[in-house]
Amino acid sequence: MNRILIRLGAAVLSLGLLTACAQEPAAAPAAQPAGAASYPRTVQVPGKPARQVTIPARPERIAALSADAAEAALELAGPERLIAVPASAANASLSSHAGEMATVATQLPPGTDPDPEQIISLEPDLILVTTRHGGERDAQATLAQAGIPMITIGNNWGTLEEVKQNLTLLGTALGAESRAGELIAELDRRAAGVAEKLGDPARRPSVAILSNQAGRPFINAADVLTSDLVRRAGGDLVADRIGLRATAPVSAEQLIAAGPDAILLIDVTGKGRASFASVMSDPAVAALAAVREGRVKLLPARISYGTGGVRIADGLEEIARWLHPEAMR
């Protein structure tokens, strides 16, 4: 009898195990990338007129046609999702991520005149265009005909607020909203820290901003990012004083007439102070109080000029320490 009960128990146990195996759920599917489940999505793109862009799936083959958009996209999505960036994005003077940019498969020719056919041949699933660049604006119509989702950034990355707006837009398009929020929070925190330390400065030195992007010194107007950083750092713009409306080549005579309290040199090319020699080595410029008293500062463009990355906070803090060292201690 005991033997029968033992066999019956074993049979019941085996049946239970078989039933459990049959009812066991299938293996869970592989985890999808963050944000992948929220596609397709429609992105509202500001502009005149505003547009709606539908992105069918999480972009994995992103072509960024300008260095500013490439910098932002890399900080939001990483280099592995980028398939094309401008060659200038791998320039350490322009990018805080030059090494990672250099690993992107296609380095587009220098300048802001992309070849639409080349871009289309790469089979991107998202194209990022900054329309302030004439060449990108011209290429936009041809690219649009290819039917590839395209985000057109209509402002010029010219203020901290515009950079934050662009990060929000790209974060939505790339499925990186959380990362965009983190970057914006860091920019806000550091900008607020500078504002708190400076308060309302009793003295706001006038600053001439010179850049070397065209192989010769240019004086920068108020529509570039550096101008916004200078204002936030407690300085005024020589460009405003002389009525400069657009960035333009500068001569020694113009700089002397402007009489800046300080001169900020923005190194876009990586050639350093020597690239400003045609103006700065002029004897009359050397006689300016700003030069005689050492109020000339060189900054790399990667933290101060037309960049879509969070490192512009470094530029803001450096400029504030330069103009108001006592307050920024």
Side-chain angles (χ1 to χ4, degrees), residues 46-69:
K48 295 181 181 179
R51 300 170 55 244
Q52 290 187 334
V53 177
T54 298
I55 303 174
R58 179 178 184 262
E60 300 292 343
R61 296 181 57 79
I62 303 163
L65 307 194
S66 56
D68 36 31

Side-chain angles (χ1 to χ4, degrees), residues 5-329:
L5 289 174
I6 291 169
R7 285 178 183 169
L8 182 60
V12 171
L13 178 60
S14 297
L15 182 60
L17 290 172
L18 287 171
T19 302
C21 290
Q23 293 178 347
E24 184 177 343
Q32 294 188 4
S38 58
Y39 288 88
R41 62 175 54 177
T42 298
V43 179
Q44 304 293 328
V45 180
K48 295 181 181 179
R51 300 170 55 244
Q52 290 187 334
V53 177
T54 298
I55 303 174
R58 179 178 184 262
E60 300 292 343
R61 296 181 57 79
I62 303 163
L65 307 194
S66 56
D68 36 31
E71 189 85 357
L74 187 142
E75 291 199 351
L76 290 167
E80 61 278 1
R81 292 171 63 191
L82 289 166
I83 62 165
V85 297
S88 58
N91 179 342
S93 294
L94 282 173
S95 173
S96 298
H97 307 281
E100 291 174 290
M101 291 291 189
T103 69
V104 176
T106 299
Q107 304 286 310
L108 302 174
T112 55
D113 297 298
D115 176 0
E117 298 302 327
Q118 179 192 18
I119 304 303
I120 294 168
S121 72
L122 298 173
E123 300 182 348
D125 53 20
L126 182 65
I127 301 172
L128 307 181
V129 176
T130 299
T131 57
R132 74 181 171 103
H133 302 306
E136 292 180 48
R137 192 165 57 245
D138 295 341
Q140 184 180 350
T142 302
L143 292 170
Q145 292 173 3
I148 302 167
M150 179 166 53
I151 299 295
T152 54
I153 299 168
N155 68 41
N156 69 353
W157 306 87
T159 66
L160 184 60
E161 289 304 315
E162 287 181 347
V163 170
K164 289 159 53 180
Q165 291 166 13
N166 293 341
L167 287 171
T168 298
L169 171 62
L170 293 178
T172 302
L174 302 182
E177 295 93 333
S178 177
R179 177 60 178 156
E182 291 171 0
L183 295 175
I184 290 168
E186 181 178 351
L187 287 172
D188 283 340
R189 176 182 61 79
R190 295 175 68 180
V194 169
E196 182 179 0
K197 287 184 177 181
L198 291 179
D200 185 11
R203 183 184 65 86
R204 297 180 64 91
S206 63
V207 181
I209 303 169
L210 306 187
S211 58
N212 60 358
Q213 73 270 28
R216 58 178 294 191
F218 273 49
I219 187 166
N220 286 244
D223 61 344
V224 299
L225 178 60
T226 316
S227 296
D228 187 51
L229 299 184
V230 165
R231 288 192 181 110
R232 289 173 178 271
D236 287 331
L237 302 177
V238 158
D240 291 341
R241 178 194 294 175
I242 64 177
L244 184 68
R245 295 289 175 262
T247 297
V250 63
S251 66
E253 291 74 19
Q254 288 170 313
L255 189 58
I256 294 161
D261 297 320
I263 302 172
L264 182 59
L265 308 177
I266 304 300
D267 189 5
V268 177
T269 63
K271 296 180 179 178
R273 286 181 182 253
S275 59
F276 296 91
S278 62
V279 170
M280 297 301 294
S281 64
D282 183 280
V285 171
L288 287 171
V291 181
R292 287 197 328 269
E293 297 170 13
R295 293 191 296 274
V296 178
K297 185 173 183 63
L298 180 76
L299 276 184
R302 65 177 176 268
I303 62 172
S304 58
Y305 189 89
T307 175
V310 74
R311 291 288 302 279
I312 59 174
D314 294 348
L316 171 60
E317 290 168 352
E318 281 206 39
I319 296 169
R321 282 192 293 268
W322 171 54
L323 295 179
H324 299 282
E326 303 85 1
M328 291 298 295
R329 286 177 184 161

